[in-house]
Amino acid sequence: MSACVPTRAADSSRPKRIHRPHSPPPSGPRRFRVAGADVSASIAVFLIALPLSLGIALATGAPLQAGLVAAAVGGLVAGRLGGSPLQVSGPAAGLTVVTADLIHRYGWRTTCAITVLAGLAQLGLGCLRVARTALAVSPAIVHGMLAGIGVTIAVAQLHIVLGGTPQSSVLANLRALPAQLARLDPAAVSVSALTLALLLLWPRIPGRLGRLLRRIPAALVAVTGASAAAALLGLTLPKVDLPSWSSHALAGLPEGPVLGLVAAVLTTTLVCSVQSLLGAVAVDKMAAGRPGLTARVGRSDLDRELLGQGAANIVSGALGGLPVAGVAVRSSANVNAGAVSRNSTMLHGVLVVIAALLMVPVLEFIPLASLAALVMAVGIQMVSLHHIRTVTRHREVLVYAVTTLGVVVLGVLEGVALGIAVAVAVALHRLTRTRITHEHDEEEGVHHVQVRGQLTFLAVPRLSRALHLVPQGADVVVELDGSFMDHAAFEALQDWQNSHTAQGGTVELTGRRAGVRIAEPGEAVEPHTGSGAPRDSADPATAAGCRCSPWTPWRNHQCEDPRSAPRPAPHQDRSEGSGTTGGTGASSTSGHELARGISAFQRHTAPLVRGELARLAREGQRPSQLFLTCADSRLVTSMITSSGPGDLFVVRNVGNLVPLPGEESGDDSVAAAIEYAVDVLKVRSITVCGHSGCGAMQALLNSEPGGVQTPLKRWLRHGLPSLERMADDSRPWARLAGRAPADAVEQLCLTNVVQQLEHLRAHDSVARALRERELELHGMYFHVGEAQAYLLTEVSDAGVFDHVTGHVTDAEAAEELPSPA
């Protein structure tokens, strides 16, 4: 049987296997084996790491061997000790600016000592288990820092591309650029242009040949092609110069002002740690996209990753290497190449060592201009348009821009500090910014006071002015659209409500903060745990014990029977009592609830979704999934799938049944929906979702042959194959992983999902799409009482439903890869 199991961390606490008596003796220790996928992945990563390591060393002004040392140590030490098995560490472009500044200020040997001290600091942070605090840093600050570093790298390497020498700062490089353009080196420009062209065009080769060629990394092709062209044309250019390893400079004792050295260690620690931890989170996200991989390697242990990075920096600094951090390009290449364990990372380190010892004559053919062009392209990619769009959407572009400019003009540590300060200021501004408006609906005679934002003491004067615009004795609705109300605002609102209701007016509180119970005059204040509006004691709903206003949001609905106490509209005269203008009291109440719900949608939700719905109206619907489920009112498809407008094409019926095609007196509505979804909308998957306590399955179990064939009985005959399947003792039953079904109804609900999937395969459009591998079928079971979803993970004659965990992944906290290099 095949299985698709959910993402789970490996259980390291499993008991060891015990040798039982009278059993064969245990075999000896297993030999070390390396999977073929790890070997091929390590080669792919090595081919990327080799030119990038040399290029980053060139960009920092360090000895070129330092890049190879850092790459080897990152693969072997961080790969073996780190907590992210698939992350590849080495010299990172994000550290280029920091390292170049350290070398310029303190020299190479002191920079190596600073790297060692930064590694010790990382070990201390790892022992304190504070790794996850790095995820609290705003993504706008991280992306802004990397963008600023990218700009600095690109501007500096542009001088080498043009045949010159970079200056010590971005501003100096910009000032020197006109003079550099006036004295171009044609050979350097030609080699750099060829490198950039190959780097850009190689991944875009079309067709089957392109798919084969793209297995060779573009960076390797670009540097190799430029080096071969320079050699064939006999161009005279500065090239890689790797002195003998016997003369390689190692770390020395740090020399310089103490405060400056401390700041240097903190900066190196900050950049290395944040980039490595966010890189580990991003690798988890990529690994989750490969079925079964996360279950094999487990999620990253961020504290262990910090310890591994610290150990790698200690070793790299001591051996005269660059600072080490997780590298996004190599990590993504490792995952995409099929790596299944940390062996691929370590093998890549071994290959770097072999290259550093045996391939020196070959490496010395590489022109420095080609490496500079490669690193310049990496720097440009660090200014990600996707990140800019993301921070703009979240209204954090100011934080991003200030951090970027701060890093470019002042330096990494100063730029990050500026970004943090601006982020705190923006957060305080959002906390204190409150929009309060007053409107009068003349048709209904109701006054609306709308509060948008957090209600704190700073907003009390404006709230008071808006509330006093309401005439005495009027009906008023106060909409609180915020998540926080402090004591001062609470008392101001309570005092005004008491005064207004004492003068004959009515007050209704709605919105997110409507659950706060505002007491009547002389009444003790008690918290209101429902989400509905507080109301005065004359309200019949309150008298009936209902604590929720009509059409209460699902998350806090606590009324036992919301239909038990009809409530007049706020503008309705109390003297009307329970009289109605037509129909029964229940229908009047339900109609009022419907109108209230629609009104709440227009006020609160419509402004938020109007843009997206307008786009869908223009472009048409393009759902990715057909979701076939029961008509039960407790199943809210958008809630349990976290989907929105345009995501799901939903078909609901009693019992989530799929009639077989062509069946006598069959139902064409379901078949038509399936055909439309598969052939017209081109959905990529179909999910059949059953649920606990299904009334249709209960009716099937209790059904008796004969009797009057009502529409419900005629429909439920499509579920008889499920009942027969469950009664067939020769077939294994569908089951839940971890526990047995609670009763026969739950057993039939599970069996029905498996059976309806078989019915789906009998439809021509589905069968054709499955043959062409354009469609996937999924089974799902939702336990209403537990709010627990189960996915069908084993499909054969029976099925196994495994629960879906609800842990928030670290990948959701860090939106994207921290750096493309």
Side-chain angles (χ1 to χ4, degrees):
M1 294 188 294
S2 61
C4 289
V5 297
T7 300
R8 288 183 178 176
D11 185 6
S12 59
S13 61
R14 289 183 299 177
K16 296 182 179 179
R17 181 175 298 177
I18 300 174
H19 176 57
R20 297 178 179 179
H22 310 296
S23 62
S27 59
R30 294 176 59 185
R31 292 183 300 172
F32 176 74
R33 294 182 179 179
V34 179
D38 283 333
V39 175
S40 60
S42 67
I43 295 173
V45 175
F46 161 72
L47 295 178
I48 294 174
L50 190 62
L52 278 177
S53 299
L54 293 173
I56 291 172
L58 172 67
T60 61
L64 295 184
Q65 295 103 317
L68 300 177
V69 170
V73 171
L76 293 170
V77 179
R80 179 65 185 88
L81 303 179
S84 181
L86 300 183
Q87 175 162 248
V88 182
S89 301
L95 293 162
T96 302
V97 175
V98 175
T99 310
D101 182 61
L102 295 179
I103 295 173
H104 176 74
R105 291 187 181 187
Y106 304 110
W108 173 241
R109 293 172 66 88
T110 298
T111 300
C112 292
I114 291 172
T115 302
V116 173
L117 294 175
L120 291 172
Q122 287 180 300
L123 286 181
L125 294 175
C127 293
L128 293 175
R129 305 186 68 83
V130 297
R132 291 192 177 274
T133 59
L135 302 180
V137 180
S138 168
I141 296 175
V142 176
H143 298 324
M145 176 189 75
L146 295 174
I149 291 173
V151 171
T152 305
I153 292 172
V155 173
Q157 297 308 298
L158 181 59
H159 282 269
I160 301 179
V161 166
L162 298 176
T165 303
Q167 306 298 316
S168 59
S169 68
V170 178
L171 297 180
N173 280 320
L174 290 175
R175 285 193 296 265
L177 193 57
Q180 183 62 56
L181 290 171
R183 45 186 176 82
L184 295 176
D185 184 342
V189 173
S190 301
V191 169
S192 300
L194 178 59
T195 303
L196 293 174
L198 290 172
L199 197 63
L200 180 66
L201 298 177
W202 187 260
R204 292 171 172 78
I205 300 176
R208 181 178 300 178
L209 178 62
R211 287 195 297 271
L212 293 174
L213 294 178
R214 282 196 295 271
R215 295 182 180 179
I216 306 175
L220 180 67
V221 172
V223 173
T224 302
S227 302
L232 292 174
L233 296 175
L235 300 178
T236 303
L237 288 169
K239 296 181 180 178
V240 169
D241 182 16
L242 293 174
S244 171
W245 284 102
S246 60
S247 60
H248 178 63
L250 304 179
L253 293 176
E255 298 178 357
V258 175
L259 291 179
L261 292 174
V262 170
V265 171
L266 291 178
T267 303
T268 306
T269 304
L270 170 68
V271 179
C272 288
S273 302
V274 170
Q275 183 165 341
S276 299
L277 294 176
L278 294 182
V281 167
V283 168
D284 282 348
K285 183 177 180 180
M286 290 186 292
R290 285 175 50 190
L293 179 60
T294 309
R296 179 168 181 174
V297 301
R299 292 175 57 193
S300 297
D301 182 339
L302 297 186
D303 292 305
R304 178 179 172 181
E305 178 65 16
L306 199 55
L307 292 171
Q309 295 292 333
N313 273 312
I314 292 173
V315 176
S316 180
L319 296 179
L322 291 171
V324 171
V327 187
V329 166
R330 302 174 209 180
S331 301
S332 61
N334 193 36
V335 175
N336 294 332
V340 294
S341 72
R342 63 176 71 245
N343 291 334
S344 63
T345 303
M346 298 172 63
L347 280 175
H348 127 270
V350 172
L351 293 175
V352 171
V353 172
I354 295 174
L357 296 176
L358 305 179
M359 294 180 60
V360 172
V362 176
L363 297 178
E364 290 183 339
F365 279 100
I366 301 175
L368 296 183
S370 179
L371 293 179
L374 175 65
V375 177
M376 185 181 73
V378 170
I380 294 173
Q381 291 173 2
M382 292 173 71
V383 187
S384 170
L385 292 178
H386 173 74
H387 292 159
I388 294 174
R389 285 193 293 266
T390 300
V391 298
T392 302
R393 186 169 63 249
H394 291 283
R395 297 183 299 166
E396 293 185 333
V397 69
L398 179 62
V399 178
Y400 179 91
V402 169
T403 306
T404 301
L405 291 175
V407 170
V408 170
V409 177
L410 302 175
V412 174
L413 192 61
E414 294 84 352
V416 170
L418 275 177
I420 293 174
V422 173
V424 171
V426 169
L428 291 176
H429 173 68
R430 290 175 178 172
L431 180 65
T432 58
R433 187 181 68 175
T434 308
R435 183 169 175 263
I436 303 174
T437 59
H438 169 263
E439 297 176 356
H440 179 217
D441 190 336
E442 296 183 358
E443 294 183 1
E444 297 185 356
V446 179
H447 292 260
H448 292 271
V449 176
Q450 298 177 337
V451 180
R452 299 287 185 267
Q454 318 310 320
L455 198 52
T456 66
F457 67 94
L458 297 173
V460 167
R462 284 179 290 149
L463 175 65
S464 180
R465 283 195 296 270
L467 293 175
H468 282 82
L469 293 176
V470 179
Q472 295 182 1
D475 297 318
V476 58
V477 176
V478 180
E479 301 174 18
L480 304 176
D481 186 15
S483 59
F484 176 75
M485 179 194 300
D486 70 3
H487 189 222
F490 176 86
E491 284 196 347
L493 191 57
Q494 178 190 16
D495 293 343
W496 173 83
Q497 183 190 16
N498 293 341
S499 173
H500 189 74
T501 54
Q503 295 169 358
T506 64
V507 178
E508 179 183 357
L509 301 184
T510 65
R512 299 181 185 176
R513 295 298 300 169
V516 178
R517 179 75 166 91
I518 306 294
E520 298 297 327
E523 179 186 359
V525 177
E526 62 176 287
H528 180 65
T529 56
S531 65
R535 47 182 74 93
D536 57 70
S537 57
D539 196 322
T542 302
C546 176
R547 297 183 296 158
C548 298
S549 60
W551 216 265
T552 302
W554 58 268
R555 64 180 179 274
N556 284 324
H557 202 127
Q558 298 182 7
C559 300
E560 294 182 359
D561 186 2
R563 298 168 295 180
S564 61
R567 180 186 177 204
H571 62 276
Q572 186 177 359
D573 194 293
R574 286 192 180 87
S575 63
E576 296 179 11
S578 60
T580 61
T581 57
T584 65
S587 63
S588 175
T589 300
S590 62
H592 175 61
E593 290 176 353
L594 178 62
R596 290 271 321 269
I598 296 173
S599 177
F601 167 80
Q602 294 298 146
R603 290 196 306 269
H604 303 299
T605 309
L608 301 177
V609 301
R610 187 170 287 120
E612 178 65 12
L613 291 178
R615 183 188 66 81
L616 291 172
R618 290 192 308 269
E619 301 176 0
Q621 62 169 329
R622 298 176 183 175
S624 60
Q625 183 174 162
L626 167 60
F627 196 85
L628 196 151
T629 188
C630 186
D632 193 293
S633 63
R634 297 166 295 180
L635 261 68
V636 184
T637 56
S638 59
M639 179 180 71
I640 64 178
T641 60
S642 299
S643 56
D647 292 338
L648 301 180
F649 187 71
V650 181
V651 175
R652 305 187 71 152
N653 60 50
V654 176
N656 47 275
L657 300 177
V658 182
L660 287 168
E663 188 170 327
E664 184 181 357
S665 302
D667 183 89
D668 286 338
S669 65
V670 177
I674 294 171
E675 180 182 347
Y676 184 76
V678 175
D679 293 342
V680 179
L681 297 179
K682 304 295 183 183
V683 297
R684 296 189 296 272
S685 66
I686 301 179
T687 299
V688 176
C689 177
H691 67 96
S692 62
C694 181
M697 299 299 104
Q698 181 70 56
L700 269 177
L701 282 174
N702 298 334
S703 63
E704 297 180 359
V708 179
Q709 289 296 307
T710 64
L712 178 60
K713 285 187 176 181
R714 287 196 297 272
W715 170 253
L716 289 181
R717 77 184 187 282
H718 301 300
L720 291 176
S722 301
L723 194 60
E724 295 168 357
R725 185 189 193 103
M726 189 179 77
D728 188 353
D729 294 335
S730 64
R731 285 182 162 184
W733 280 1
R735 58 188 176 84
L736 294 173
R739 70 172 179 87
D743 50 30
V745 175
E746 186 168 61
Q747 180 64 69
L748 183 56
C749 292
L750 298 173
T751 305
N752 184 56
V753 172
V754 179
Q755 183 65 37
Q756 301 311 314
L757 287 173
E758 285 194 7
H759 289 186
L760 265 176
R761 294 185 181 93
H763 287 258
D764 291 339
S765 56
V766 175
R768 183 174 57 256
L770 289 174
R771 285 196 304 269
E772 297 173 356
R773 297 189 177 182
E774 296 176 350
L775 185 68
E776 295 179 353
L777 300 185
H778 303 288
M780 178 176 169
Y781 176 74
F782 184 74
H783 195 290
V784 176
E786 298 174 357
Q788 177 63 60
Y790 296 82
L791 286 178
L792 182 63
T793 58
E794 293 189 19
V795 181
S796 63
D797 206 28
V800 177
F801 292 79
D802 207 347
H803 73 280
V804 180
T805 59
H807 301 295
V808 178
T809 63
D810 293 328
E812 292 170 347
E815 293 180 20
E816 296 294 336
L817 287 167
S819 165

